[in-house]
Amino acid sequence: MDKVRRIGVLTSGGDAPGMNAAVRAVVRTAIANNIECVGIRRGWQGLINCDFVKLTRESVGHLLSRGGTILYTARSEEFMTEAGRQKAVTTCKMLGLDGVVAIGGDGTFRGALELSRLGVPVVGIPATIDNDVGCTNYTIGFDSACNTAIECIDKLRDTMQSHERCSIVEVMGRNAGFLALYVGTAVGATAVLVPEHQLDFEKDVVERIRASRLSGYTHFMIVLAEGAGKATELATKIRDVVGLKPTITVIGHIQRGGAPSGRDRETATRMGYYAVQSFVEGRGDCIIATQEGGIVEIPIEEALTRKKHLQMDRYKIMEIMQFGSHED
Ligand code: F6P
């Protein structure tokens, strides 16, 4: 890459606490290297529409603790088309962008790959509360979202305990159960249902409620990832088979909001720094990833082929914590 003078930064896909901290780090690292930074608003769609805002050291002040994204976010149908992407390239030329930092999940990175194939260097920063980006151990926002869900469930447990209820709590995770498993373990759930594990209702729910009852419990907490099944259907089955009347709590988008945790602020800051460094050192076209404690760059195309599997050892640990024995 030639000397980089101006870069764009955007956030795309579902927002995540810590995205603002990443934007701040990108802008401040760029400025420290005499690179101008332009904020592209509303993700890839903003690049198509030339929807931008100039960012300065001051304009990204007080962002570390702010949830959401000041750059707004969107999912762009138009960017999926060749014509849309050509418009985005035209914007990059018009704004004189030597590169773009794209903050988001796998969907964002598929867009990044397409843009880089059209000659615009891109660096991706993983940010999604689902933690389901294959090339990185950690995605910005996961820790904050888990903490939010845990706080909600702790409150819910108080009243469940008083009323001796069974509760189904639906947490986010359309395709991945990382959040559900982490949260379920942290709140001591009776059962955790995740999309990666084919539900065996008798074994995964009925037996666990019964075992829990036998050991003296009178309230039961089922944590359900949204992609693992319908809470209403599960509630009906529990009522019919076990005789309990579960209440349903959907935590929903609350998990995506709020001030980022310390871990998310710190990780976002390091990732933002390394994203700009990649341009400064003449590389680009990569995803910034955490691996075994350190930060690495992975070429975008390769990053998109990586898969991350739910840690089944953690699943087993969660099960043992409730009942002390397991078969396999
Ligand atoms: O941010 C990831 C995620 O929370 C998924 O778990 C969820 O399925 C999806 O986003 C929902 O996002 P939206 O409601 O914005 O479409």
Side-chain angles (χ1 to χ4, degrees):
M1 279 177 78
D2 295 335
K3 170 136 181 52
V4 177
R5 293 174 205 287
R6 201 170 213 224
I7 58 170
V9 57
L10 60 82
T11 51
S12 166
D15 64 354
M19 276 183 162
N20 279 329
V23 170
R24 170 184 178 271
V26 167
V27 172
R28 294 200 168 169
T29 309
I31 290 167
N33 286 283
N34 295 317
I35 298 171
E36 273 188 294
C37 198
V38 167
I40 308 295
R41 294 190 293 200
R42 303 178 177 88
W44 298 123
Q45 193 59 42
L47 208 55
I48 291 172
N49 298 342
C50 198
D51 181 2
F52 72 97
V53 56
K54 198 158 178 277
L55 296 171
T56 62
R57 207 183 160 75
E58 293 69 38
S59 68
V60 293
H62 306 292
L63 275 192
L64 271 177
S65 60
R66 211 162 132 189
T69 161
I70 57 156
L71 294 178
Y72 304 100
T73 183
R75 295 186 170 96
S76 172
E77 294 281 323
E78 200 179 350
F79 196 76
M80 312 260 190
T81 67
E82 186 58 37
R85 291 193 290 270
Q86 286 298 344
K87 283 191 205 165
V89 173
T90 306
T91 302
C92 291
K93 284 187 183 144
M94 239 164 61
L95 294 178
L97 300 184
D98 300 311
V100 173
V101 176
I103 305 169
D106 269 342
T108 304
F109 301 153
R110 277 191 288 277
L113 180 63
E114 294 302 332
L115 192 65
S116 74
R117 283 181 173 150
L118 295 173
V120 179
V122 188
V123 175
I125 296 182
T128 160
I129 67 160
D130 291 337
N131 199 20
D132 62 347
V133 174
C135 69
T136 184
N137 288 340
Y138 188 75
T139 61
I140 297 164
F142 179 69
D143 187 55
S144 308
C146 287
N147 290 343
T148 299
I150 290 165
E151 195 187 330
C152 291
I153 296 175
D154 283 348
K155 286 182 177 154
L156 179 63
R157 186 185 285 283
D158 289 346
T159 165
M160 282 170 63
Q161 193 165 23
S162 317
H163 288 264
E164 301 180 285
R165 280 193 171 126
C166 174
S167 261
I168 298 170
V169 183
E170 186 188 291
V171 296
M172 277 194 159
R174 197 176 288 164
N175 303 309
F178 295 102
L179 193 139
L181 180 55
Y182 188 104
V183 167
T185 303
V187 300
T190 312
V192 179
L193 310 180
V194 292
E196 294 87 342
H197 175 77
Q198 178 63 43
L199 175 67
D200 176 339
F201 180 70
E202 188 59 32
K203 183 169 174 295
D204 297 331
V205 180
V206 178
E207 276 181 23
R208 295 182 66 81
I209 291 176
R210 286 192 181 134
S212 191
R213 257 182 178 160
L214 283 174
S215 48
Y217 281 89
T218 57
H219 70 279
F220 314 95
M221 173 79 71
I222 317 284
V223 173
L224 170 73
E226 61 176 320
K230 284 206 162 35
T232 46
E233 286 172 14
L234 186 63
T236 307
K237 272 173 112 177
I238 292 176
R239 194 195 56 210
D240 294 348
V241 178
V242 194
L244 294 165
K245 286 187 196 146
T247 58
I248 296 172
T249 304
V250 179
I251 304 182
H253 289 90
I254 287 175
Q255 287 154 107
R256 292 225 302 241
S261 66
R263 180 177 184 183
D264 281 325
R265 297 178 201 193
E266 195 272 344
T267 308
T269 302
R270 272 189 301 138
M271 285 186 165
Y273 168 83
Y274 284 112
V276 176
Q277 279 306 120
S278 180
F279 284 134
V280 171
E281 291 162 19
R283 294 183 300 275
D285 289 338
C286 63
I287 306 298
I288 303 298
T290 61
Q291 280 179 8
E292 284 156 20
I295 291 214
V296 295
E297 289 179 12
I298 301 178
I300 305 175
E301 194 162 1
E302 189 195 328
L304 287 170
T305 63
R306 300 253 182 119
K307 297 269 169 292
K308 184 156 73 183
H309 301 289
L310 192 74
Q311 310 92 331
M312 292 318 282
D313 57 326
R314 294 191 186 187
Y315 193 86
K316 198 174 278 182
I317 292 168
M318 176 277 298
E319 290 189 312
I320 291 171
M321 285 309 119
Q322 294 311 303
F323 306 115
S325 69
H326 60 99
E327 285 144 20
D328 45 11

